[in-house]
Amino acid sequence: MSWETVIGLEVHVQLATNSKLFSGSATAFGAEPNTQASIYDLALPGTLPVMNEEVLRMAVSFGLAVDAEIGKRSVFDRKNYFYPDLPKGYQITQLEFPTVGRGSLKIQLENGSEKTIGITRAHIEEDAGKSLHEDFQGMSGIDLNRAGTPLLEIVSDPDLRNAKEAVAYLKKLHSIILYLGISDGNMSQGSMRCDANVSVRKKGATEFGTRTEIKNVNSFKFVEKAINYEVQRQIELIEDGGRVVQETRLYDSDKDETRSMRSKEVANDYRYFPEPDLLPVIIDDEYIAAVRATLPELPAARCARFVSGYALSAYDADVLTSDRAMADYFEAVVTLCGDAKLSANWVTVDLLGLLNKSDLSISESPIKPEQLGTMIARIKDNTISGKLAKTVFEALADGETNVDQIIESRGLKQVTDSGAIEKLVDDVIAANPDQVAQYRAGKDAVFGFFVGQAMKISKGKANPAQLNELLRNKLKAD
Amino acid sequence: MLSKTVAELAGALTRKEVSARELTQAYLDRIHQLNPALNAYVTITAEQALAQADAADARRAQGNAGPLTGIPIAHKDIFCTRGVLTACGSHMLHNFIAPYDACVVERLEQAGAIMLGKTNMDEFAMGSSNETSWFGPVRNPWDQARVPGGSSGGSAAAVAASLCAMATGTDTGGSIRQPASFCGLTGLKPTYGRVSRWGMIAFASSLDQAGPLTHSAEDAALMMNAIAGTDLRDSTCLELPFEDFTAQLNQPLSGLRIGLPREHFTKDLNPAVQAILQEAIRQLELLGATFKEVTLPNNYLSVPAYYVIAPAEASANLSRFDGVRFGYRCANPANLDDLYKRSRGEGFGDEVKRRIMVGTYALSAGYYDAYYIKAQKIRRLIKQDFDLAFNEVDLILGPTSPHTAFKLGEKVSDPVTMYLEDIYTIAVNLAGLPGMSLPAGMLNGLPIGMQLVGPSLSESRLLNVAHQFQKNTDWHTQRPEV
């Protein structure tokens, strides 16, 4: 039996405003409990919400980045439910008229092709506080620092067909959000949280299967694992003659499994209705144009420019532009050394390797773009060989800062004096008559042996191009 | 002295016939004497009032007093007051002391008014007789066997009994105008958005509006000058330039066109009330107004539409009273559900629970379209009726209430009869329009009011008509013997 997986994602992005959605409280992460909660956040009677306009700008900029329809009139609604970390007893959200309507974004599949994923909508809403269940002797503590923090909930169409696509979509969203600067996108701190709606159906079926919702998965890796687990669970359940129950499930990363949280069949009735304390938000074309004018170059456009402008492969361009800071780093290096291809290799292979090994982000890189750019420039101007550049790179990674000093102090400068190289070649030929005979008898592979010998004697400093040329000439001539 | 209007007291203060401190002390003495019987005040802030009075006297001595500087006022206990209990007529908030002042309180304090205390009210402003208060009913100063009306019953009784010179009220479906009618006062519900709702405990956010309860239209205008105006803390508060509501008071009424809604003058209206209204109409005709019949065909739907919309909003507005952060919390909750159920079950009274349940039902899946959406459509039709009428007339005149104050206990057990108390006033809230009630006559020793309704932002015109009427009649000068 062949199964098809259907996945839709709901992604909550915490917007990086200085103050909350409807109050002036600060939104910094990690403050002492309840030190960032105003009388409005505590829902003291008589207090009223006042919309933070920066949130609107951020939501509209996201909408424009995913080619979405922008709601000219968005309306806030109350979603009613009781929970101690929801002080008002309702969450202010947007139900029928969200600020961001239908849009889409493209993801790259593993086979290199592109796929367009529909975005159903993105709406503005306020976050809840946190319930703390430890350290209170059988009671719960409530921290309202997060209550009222602005969220953008981005809902995808059920267009994703496997966990890898889901992760590719998430990474693309993450990248756009960081480019726009509307969130720090930090998944472990909850700045970006993902709920996955997962169902399976027989290949070729047109109806969707019953879906489950996996809540709050907090890393790309766990999203992939949670979906894979859930897909397998559903398939096995159906194949064993059972049926999937529509419910919310929680992913336990320690056990790598999902388990039932609550059944949607007995779900809350949220009794949505328009929020009477807020007027509808009306925006015009002029406002939208003004936000559009402030948009940075987005990953897709930058990737295309890297391919056309720097002649990079689509793969390299995609790797470099997925992260705004990485793309900025790369462009700084290119500006210094003038060689895009070489820069791309050093950044995507050596630098990324180094960062991955020590689990650092590009902004935490021990090697600054000026240093890498200077180093590549020294390769270009034949001061050092590409091979010895690795030594420079390692010295930079270990905290040395001046490229030219590293070359100087370690004597890494290439020998480009043709007289010196000629002597070297003569010495190698003289010392290895057997191999010379083999070569002249037509065994071309021996050529590498001469190069190796010459490099060994020169400690790798002979200019490889000059060395090759002289070697060939001399071996032929004699 | 205590039965004077605000305008008269301001004159006396200016002429130094009395000091703010003497005036305040005199009111406090009278409160001390009469409040135990009337139960108009639930909190008396004597010490704070005397300190404010001294400050007012100092301010007057410095020569920067306004007309309200030194005038003693009572605030409905729905307005939050910094450091002073704000219970909203409910056991739920019996211990709630806000760390902030409502915008209305703040502005009146800035104008120099002296807060004598907080007045009794129907619990969370839900009621038309002041009998749903956790603090017990208020008695009507004109007849203590009768109710003062509601929900601003304490404020109305306090002004009528001269326990303060003026008072604040709030009006969601008639809660300023009906008590004004029952107690012989002038009460104004401003256009929705005229007065900031910030710091005023919400009942039905799209309908609630604060306003004055006073002896005269001139006093109401003086209070409006202090409380009306933009407040960025309330997103529904209109951004308007300052308006002097006293400026138009003395405009002649010649050319004024007043509409009489056919639907209000039917056989259902008490004939004696009808006769009083006819006399008021005759008086206004003498002053130059002309009358014509208008129609408000959807008015009969206003009570049912209101009792969907108001409870729906209230059901959400009152969710914050959950025993978690402030207010009443049940003893020894076993778990979270128990905490919610008993805190709310024990903290709220029957009428509040009834409306929370009605509102929750109206918003529930499967009923939302049939109730909430339909009620919103009716609301638009009601607004449209008024718009059409105001194409033909400047104002509308009619009864405020079908009758004079009724007896305590007479209607409290029958919610539908109680809800019909507001049949003439509710449509005005649904349409967001300004409306006022002013004394139009007496019936068996009890006052009865008439209602004036105008188009959006026509408060100055309403006050002008009321003032001209009051210059030529003396119903508003009558005081009960308490």
Side-chain angles (χ1 to χ4, degrees):
Chain A
M1 180 72 63
S2 184
W3 295 91
E4 181 180 49
T5 304
V6 176
I7 303 162
L9 297 183
E10 291 167 19
V11 179
H12 287 86
V13 174
Q14 208 174 78
L15 297 174
T17 50
N18 293 325
S19 58
K20 292 185 179 178
L21 177 50
F22 298 120
S23 81
S25 309
T27 53
F29 179 80
E32 282 291 300
N34 297 312
T35 54
Q36 292 177 170
S38 69
I39 53 173
Y40 175 76
D41 305 321
L42 267 85
L44 293 191
T47 59
L48 294 168
V50 178
M51 166 96 185
N52 179 344
E53 285 184 20
E54 182 65 1
V55 174
L56 180 68
R57 189 196 64 77
M58 289 182 168
V60 170
S61 73
F62 173 78
L64 294 173
V66 295
D67 292 324
E69 295 162 23
I70 304 299
K72 296 272 182 70
R73 178 177 180 276
S74 36
V75 178
F76 286 103
D77 297 277
R78 291 184 182 178
K79 176 182 179 177
N80 295 285
Y81 65 95
F82 282 95
Y83 206 69
D85 60 22
L86 186 76
K88 295 191 290 288
Y90 54 85
Q91 176 195 33
I92 303 180
T93 179
Q94 298 176 325
L95 180 68
E96 229 180 310
F97 303 100
T99 297
V100 179
R102 175 153 284 286
S104 68
L105 59 78
K106 289 192 172 67
I107 59 170
Q108 273 73 38
L109 302 184
E110 284 193 315
N111 64 14
S113 65
E114 267 193 345
K115 179 173 177 178
T116 300
I117 307 299
I119 288 176
T120 318
R121 57 183 286 161
H123 57 263
I124 299 168
E125 62 184 25
E126 49 179 359
D127 208 344
K130 278 181 185 159
S131 297
L132 310 167
H133 299 298
E134 283 155 30
D135 309 328
F136 291 94
Q137 285 107 35
M139 296 195 281
S140 292
I142 305 295
D143 177 6
L144 296 177
N145 282 353
R146 202 181 64 181
T149 300
L151 298 177
L152 189 64
E153 180 175 339
I154 304 160
V155 183
S156 85
D157 289 343
D159 287 348
L160 301 157
R161 288 294 170 270
N162 56 56
K164 284 225 162 16
E165 286 185 17
V167 172
Y169 166 83
L170 262 187
K171 285 188 169 166
K172 194 58 105 182
L173 268 189
H174 189 254
S175 161
I176 290 173
I177 284 154
L178 292 191
Y179 265 75
L180 293 171
I182 60 175
S183 173
D184 65 19
N186 189 322
M187 291 185 82
S188 61
Q189 289 180 0
S191 306
M192 183 164 158
R193 309 196 285 270
C194 177
D195 302 340
N197 288 297
V198 177
S199 65
V200 297
R201 62 181 172 188
K202 285 177 187 162
K203 272 236 161 75
T206 48
E207 303 262 303
F208 290 131
T210 305
R211 68 165 195 268
T212 58
E213 184 180 13
I214 314 171
K215 275 275 179 206
N216 272 339
V217 202
N218 64 1
S219 81
F220 295 129
K221 193 172 79 190
F222 291 154
V223 168
E224 184 169 347
K225 288 180 134 185
I227 291 173
N228 282 335
Y229 175 88
E230 181 58 18
V231 167
Q232 207 48 46
R233 186 189 72 86
Q234 290 188 12
I235 291 173
E236 281 168 19
L237 190 63
I238 299 169
E239 288 183 343
D240 290 347
R243 74 181 182 94
V244 175
V245 181
Q246 187 174 344
E247 62 181 355
T248 302
R249 299 180 69 85
L250 195 71
Y251 177 68
D252 181 338
S253 56
D254 292 334
K255 295 182 179 159
D256 187 25
E257 63 176 31
T258 66
R259 58 170 178 270
S260 182
M261 259 175 86
R262 58 172 181 254
S263 170
K264 277 248 167 159
E265 285 168 331
V266 290
N268 269 321
D269 176 355
Y270 290 119
R271 307 189 310 279
Y272 287 95
F273 73 101
E275 166 57 275
D277 286 333
L278 291 164
L279 302 173
V281 179
I282 310 287
I283 54 176
D284 54 17
D285 291 325
E286 206 177 324
Y287 178 86
I288 295 170
V291 175
R292 196 188 293 279
T294 65
L295 289 186
E297 185 185 28
L298 290 165
R302 202 168 194 186
C303 182
R305 178 166 65 79
F306 277 20
V307 171
S308 63
Y310 294 131
L312 299 185
S313 71
Y315 178 81
D316 280 353
D318 188 51
V319 170
L320 287 169
T321 55
S322 66
D323 178 345
R324 183 180 183 174
M326 172 109 61
D328 290 345
Y329 188 106
F330 166 76
E331 294 214 87
V333 171
V334 176
T335 308
L336 272 166
C337 73
D339 189 323
K341 184 67 202 156
L342 212 47
S343 299
N345 283 343
W346 278 97
V347 172
T348 59
V349 181
D350 301 274
L351 186 69
L352 270 187
L354 173 73
L355 296 177
N356 285 343
K357 203 169 64 191
S358 33
D359 201 21
L360 294 173
S361 73
I362 188 86
S363 55
E364 298 162 320
S365 169
I367 304 177
K368 302 298 157 211
E370 305 75 55
Q371 296 163 342
L372 190 62
T374 307
M375 189 198 86
I376 298 172
R378 293 296 168 268
I379 301 174
K380 289 279 291 175
D381 67 12
N382 285 328
T383 307
I384 51 171
S385 68
K387 201 159 190 177
L388 287 185
K390 307 259 182 206
T391 312
V392 179
F393 185 86
E394 275 159 28
L396 289 171
D398 287 342
E400 287 188 59
T401 53
N402 189 312
V403 171
D404 292 320
Q405 246 170 40
I406 295 168
I407 296 171
E408 198 61 44
S409 65
R410 283 178 174 64
L412 301 175
K413 224 174 219 158
Q414 269 190 131
V415 177
T416 52
D417 170 22
S418 53
I421 294 175
E422 192 168 354
K423 183 173 180 305
L424 185 63
V425 169
D426 290 341
D427 289 352
V428 170
I429 288 175
N432 298 287
D434 293 354
Q435 283 79 0
V436 172
Q438 283 174 21
Y439 181 81
R440 287 186 180 152
K443 198 170 175 190
D444 280 356
V446 185
F447 187 74
F449 167 79
F450 297 110
V451 175
Q453 287 300 305
M455 279 299 183
K456 199 168 156 190
I457 295 164
S458 76
K459 299 202 176 76
K461 290 188 287 190
N463 178 288
Q466 282 174 287
L467 178 67
N468 281 1
E469 197 190 336
L470 273 169
L471 255 178
R472 279 199 199 284
N473 289 342
K474 295 253 174 186
L475 284 168
K476 226 184 287 171
D478 284 25
Chain B
M1 175 64 79
L2 300 190
S3 61
K4 287 186 187 304
T5 65
V6 171
E8 289 162 352
L9 289 173
L13 285 163
T14 308
R15 292 187 300 272
K16 297 198 165 60
E17 292 163 19
V18 68
S19 70
R21 187 177 180 95
E22 287 161 353
L23 198 54
T24 302
Q25 190 59 60
Y27 276 114
L28 288 170
D29 292 346
R30 188 169 166 87
I31 291 167
H32 185 70
Q33 185 195 347
L34 297 179
N35 195 58
L38 295 175
N39 200 24
Y41 283 87
V42 292
T43 302
I44 299 153
T45 50
E47 211 172 299
Q48 183 179 321
L50 290 170
Q52 282 181 343
D54 289 342
D57 283 329
R59 185 168 160 183
R60 198 166 281 280
Q62 285 163 10
N64 52 13
L68 298 185
T69 307
I71 306 292
I73 191 171
H75 287 304
K76 186 176 182 179
D77 206 22
I78 200 168
F79 295 100
C80 288
T81 41
R82 184 195 301 263
V84 174
L85 180 71
T86 300
C88 213
S90 183
H91 188 201
M92 182 56 88
L93 291 178
H94 73 288
N95 58 358
F96 178 67
I97 295 175
Y100 47 91
D101 280 325
C103 179
V104 162
V105 171
E106 197 177 78
R107 287 183 176 174
L108 283 161
E109 188 178 342
Q110 280 160 9
I114 290 153
M115 181 174 90
L116 296 171
K118 308 289 291 289
T119 58
N120 206 342
M121 56 181 283
D122 280 298
E123 184 177 9
F124 286 103
M126 298 177 187
S128 305
S129 68
N130 215 117
E131 290 168 292
T132 70
S133 171
W134 186 66
F135 297 92
V138 176
R139 291 171 185 273
N140 191 319
W142 291 89
D143 175 352
Q144 293 191 25
R146 292 177 188 271
V147 303
S151 64
S152 311
S155 285
V159 178
S162 300
L163 303 185
C164 59
M166 57 183 178
T168 51
T170 61
D171 190 317
T172 305
S175 284
I176 288 174
R177 290 160 289 159
Q178 186 248 24
S181 177
F182 281 13
C183 292
L185 302 177
T186 303
L188 171 65
K189 181 207 93 75
T191 306
Y192 183 79
R194 256 296 186 188
V195 180
S196 169
R197 293 183 296 115
W198 198 88
M200 186 177 118
I201 298 178
F203 159 18
S205 311
S206 75
L207 300 161
D208 296 343
Q209 191 61 196
L213 276 155
T214 53
H215 286 301
S216 72
E218 185 182 16
D219 288 2
L222 290 170
M223 267 184 79
M224 282 298 287
N225 278 355
I227 65 175
T230 312
D231 178 16
L232 296 178
R233 296 169 296 181
D234 174 3
S235 306
T236 64
C237 190
L238 300 167
E239 290 191 42
L240 297 166
F242 173 76
E243 182 171 337
D244 178 359
F245 293 92
T246 63
Q248 307 292 316
L249 288 177
N250 287 309
Q251 291 291 313
L253 301 190
S254 52
L256 178 72
R257 300 166 304 163
I258 299 180
L260 301 171
R262 183 192 305 162
E263 295 78 8
H264 289 182
F265 292 88
T266 64
K267 60 179 169 36
D268 292 341
L269 182 63
N270 179 327
V273 175
Q274 182 133 5
I276 283 170
L277 291 176
Q278 286 306 335
E279 180 52 30
I281 290 166
R282 200 190 58 81
Q283 183 61 52
L284 287 165
E285 274 174 340
L286 288 176
L287 295 171
T290 56
F291 285 83
K292 74 178 284 190
E293 188 181 84
V294 293
T295 179
L296 300 172
N298 294 291
N299 184 76
Y300 76 104
L301 294 170
S302 61
V303 171
Y306 175 90
Y307 277 98
V308 170
I309 293 168
E313 292 182 10
S315 71
N317 282 334
L318 271 60
S319 292
R320 67 189 60 203
F321 306 111
D322 57 5
V324 174
R325 297 168 313 287
F326 52 81
Y328 179 78
R329 176 188 281 210
C330 67
N332 306 314
N335 53 44
L336 182 59
D337 264 5
D338 188 44
L339 169 73
Y340 284 154
K341 284 180 184 159
R342 284 202 290 123
S343 296
R344 290 169 66 81
E346 295 161 17
F348 290 137
D350 287 348
E351 183 58 28
V352 172
K353 286 183 206 167
R354 180 181 294 125
R355 296 202 197 187
I356 290 173
M357 285 190 279
V358 167
T360 302
Y361 180 82
L363 291 174
S364 296
Y367 300 99
Y368 181 77
D369 289 355
Y371 292 104
Y372 185 80
I373 295 290
K374 186 169 274 180
Q376 291 293 1
K377 285 180 183 158
I378 293 170
R379 186 173 185 173
R380 280 194 288 279
L381 291 176
I382 287 169
K383 173 76 166 69
Q384 196 182 309
D385 285 353
F386 279 110
D387 290 345
L388 290 173
F390 289 129
N391 285 338
E392 297 176 43
V393 295
D394 302 312
L395 301 175
I396 287 170
L397 183 150
T400 304
S401 165
H403 43 242
T404 53
F406 49 88
K407 291 210 160 113
L408 278 156
E410 193 180 321
K411 301 190 179 195
V412 72
S413 56
D414 179 358
V416 174
T417 308
M418 190 69 96
Y419 295 170
L420 289 171
E421 274 301 295
D422 298 327
I423 187 152
Y424 302 121
T425 49
I426 271 179
V428 177
N429 298 77
L430 289 170
L433 300 174
M436 71 187 293
S437 181
L438 62 154
M442 298 290 287
L443 201 56
N444 304 322
L446 292 170
I448 183 89
M450 64 174 171
Q451 180 176 229
L452 295 174
V453 180
S456 206
L457 304 177
S458 64
E459 288 87 346
S460 285
R461 189 61 160 153
L462 293 174
L463 290 163
N464 162 227
V465 175
H467 182 64
Q468 291 306 309
F469 181 80
Q470 289 177 344
K471 269 172 71 177
N472 292 279
T473 55
D474 63 358
W475 304 114
H476 67 292
T477 64
Q478 310 217 5
R479 303 284 184 271
E481 281 185 32
V482 191

